Amino acid sequence: MIIIKYNGGLGNQMFQYANQIALENRYKNQIIKADLSHYQLWNEHNGYELHKVFNIKLNLAHPKEIRPLTNSYIVSAKLQFLPDAVKHFLAYKYSYWYYRIGNVLKPHKQKTDVRDGLYNEYNPQVEYLKEGSWYIHGVWLNTKYFSEYKEIISVSYSLKCELNQLDAMALEQLRTGKAIAVHVRGGDFNNKYFDLCDKNYYRSALKNFLNNLPIYIFTDDIPFAKNKLAGMNIAGFISHGITESKKDMYMLSMSKYIILSNSTFAFWGAYLNTEKKIVVAPKYARFDGRTYWRFPVEDEWEVIDNRGRM
């Protein structure tokens, strides 16, 4: 049995499920289950969304199946009624120390606890996963984990949806290359760890396209994006909000010219694009104070080094 921990927002969940699809196809004799306990404690971003957005139904693992495999803090459903401040503390600070101390007191569990290594090079020879029980956690931000199953993944992530007249008019401009789709992640990305795509990054990215093409800005934070790209040829903003964010991803996936921010949500809009396209992406996803962590990209994408853009 392989148990996969899910956490993060929709973009991260899509990486985790893409990795699950790869594991299911690689190790057909294994039972694959999901651990969604993180969302019982903390409704991160908009909570678990794969079922709402893509109607994906996961085979859920019971805490009794999870705890023997990892020193991670596995949440009891009873705790969801605690005050938010307490749940936030448990979800982050407490769970971090719980895991660290558990690895000291119960080191044998580290043998069945598998981390993705974040952006480490993909090792296709993970033969030990073929049998036995394992607990897997991480985001798996590398397309090499699942690239051979892209067709299956694309079917699971069907994005087509109904658009209103204004959206349809904007999409026609984007689809035909008369405008550029530019993603700007704001909100919780507006800090020193994630705000790595500054105005200079976007100016450099725009040099890959015809001069002065209008841009449609895809964003979850219009005031932040408007300030960041002030003075550019902005045709409009695409921002459907949390409940209809799938429309943003769908319109990105239909665009001919795309400039990404360091957002996993934006990544999927470009990755699921089946048209002939030009995609510009940042080289780095985040900075932890010491290390710049790589952003997932496809070989044919244009990549811009965005270190120091804070």
Side-chain angles (χ1 to χ4, degrees):
M1 178 170 60
I2 298 174
I3 299 173
I4 298 174
K5 178 181 180 178
Y6 281 79
N7 67 296
L10 179 60
N12 285 11
Q13 293 167 34
M14 290 172 73
F15 270 98
Q16 288 154 353
Y17 186 65
N19 183 52
Q20 177 169 331
I21 287 174
L23 292 174
E24 287 172 341
N25 282 273
R26 260 183 220 122
Y27 310 120
K28 294 184 183 293
N29 293 327
Q30 280 281 36
I31 297 171
I32 312 288
K33 293 189 176 184
D35 171 19
L36 299 184
S37 62
H38 173 79
Y39 298 105
Q40 292 181 340
L41 188 59
W42 190 249
N43 207 31
E44 189 176 6
H45 297 288
N46 197 34
Y48 174 68
E49 293 190 88
L50 291 179
H51 68 296
K52 292 182 289 187
V53 179
F54 301 112
N55 196 31
I56 290 170
K57 295 178 175 63
L58 298 176
N59 184 13
L60 300 184
H62 191 278
K64 291 180 180 178
E65 295 175 301
I66 303 170
R67 290 192 177 105
L69 303 177
T70 179
N71 287 311
S72 296
Y73 180 52
I74 307 303
V75 179
S76 166
K78 297 175 183 178
L79 299 181
Q80 62 185 300
F81 301 106
L82 291 173
D84 282 351
V86 177
K87 289 193 291 185
H88 187 271
F89 170 78
L90 292 174
Y92 294 100
K93 291 187 177 180
Y94 179 78
S95 62
Y96 171 78
W97 288 111
Y98 185 96
Y99 182 74
R100 292 285 298 273
I101 293 169
N103 283 342
V104 174
L105 298 178
K106 300 176 182 178
H108 65 280
K109 290 188 182 182
Q110 294 183 62
K111 295 177 181 178
T112 53
D113 187 304
V114 181
R115 283 182 171 271
D116 67 352
L118 295 177
Y119 303 83
N120 289 345
E121 288 299 315
Y122 169 60
N123 176 10
Q125 303 301 323
V126 282
E127 299 299 322
Y128 58 84
L129 293 177
K130 283 185 175 180
E131 56 187 15
S133 294
W134 307 93
Y135 183 76
I136 290 181
H137 48 131
V139 186
W140 308 90
L141 297 187
N142 190 325
T143 59
K144 291 180 181 177
Y145 287 123
F146 50 78
S147 58
E148 61 190 294
Y149 304 107
K150 184 174 181 177
E151 191 172 325
I152 300 172
I153 291 165
S154 297
V155 171
S156 298
Y157 294 154
S158 175
L159 291 173
K160 193 167 184 180
C161 50
E162 294 292 326
L163 300 177
N164 62 34
Q165 187 175 2
L166 285 176
D167 286 339
M169 290 172 61
L171 183 57
E172 180 61 18
Q173 297 288 304
L174 293 163
R175 188 183 62 79
T176 56
K178 296 175 182 175
I180 304 167
V182 178
H183 190 269
V184 177
R185 175 69 181 265
D188 63 333
F189 265 35
N190 186 12
N191 59 57
K192 64 181 180 179
Y193 302 107
F194 291 105
D195 190 11
L196 303 182
C197 295
D198 67 359
K199 196 168 188 174
N200 289 329
Y201 162 77
Y202 288 105
R203 281 177 176 154
S204 297
L206 285 168
K207 291 178 182 177
N208 290 274
F209 307 99
L210 294 174
N211 286 338
N212 212 35
L213 272 179
I215 63 175
Y216 280 94
I217 300 176
F218 290 71
T219 184
D220 61 339
D221 191 337
I222 290 177
F224 176 77
K226 187 181 291 187
N227 179 65
K228 176 162 283 199
L229 300 188
M232 296 188 182
N233 186 12
I234 300 173
F237 292 87
I238 309 296
S239 185
H240 290 97
I242 288 174
T243 57
E244 294 187 299
S245 62
K246 181 180 179 180
K247 292 181 179 179
D248 290 31
M249 194 180 289
Y250 169 63
M251 292 178 70
L252 275 172
S253 77
M254 296 293 291
S255 300
K256 185 173 182 179
Y257 303 141
I258 306 170
I259 297 175
L260 299 180
S261 70
N262 52 320
S263 159
T264 55
F265 179 94
F267 164 87
W268 284 104
Y271 185 76
L272 296 171
N273 189 312
T274 58
E275 305 300 321
K276 232 179 164 180
K277 61 191 182 294
I278 297 175
V279 179
V280 182
K283 188 172 184 178
Y284 298 101
R286 68 181 177 93
F287 176 62
D288 65 8
R290 294 178 301 175
T291 305
Y292 284 93
W293 297 97
R294 298 292 288 267
F295 185 74
V297 296
E298 291 281 81
D299 291 340
E300 67 270 20
W301 295 0
E302 182 68 29
V303 178
I304 294 177
D305 190 333
N306 57 324
R307 280 177 297 185
R309 299 177 184 276
M310 301 172 68

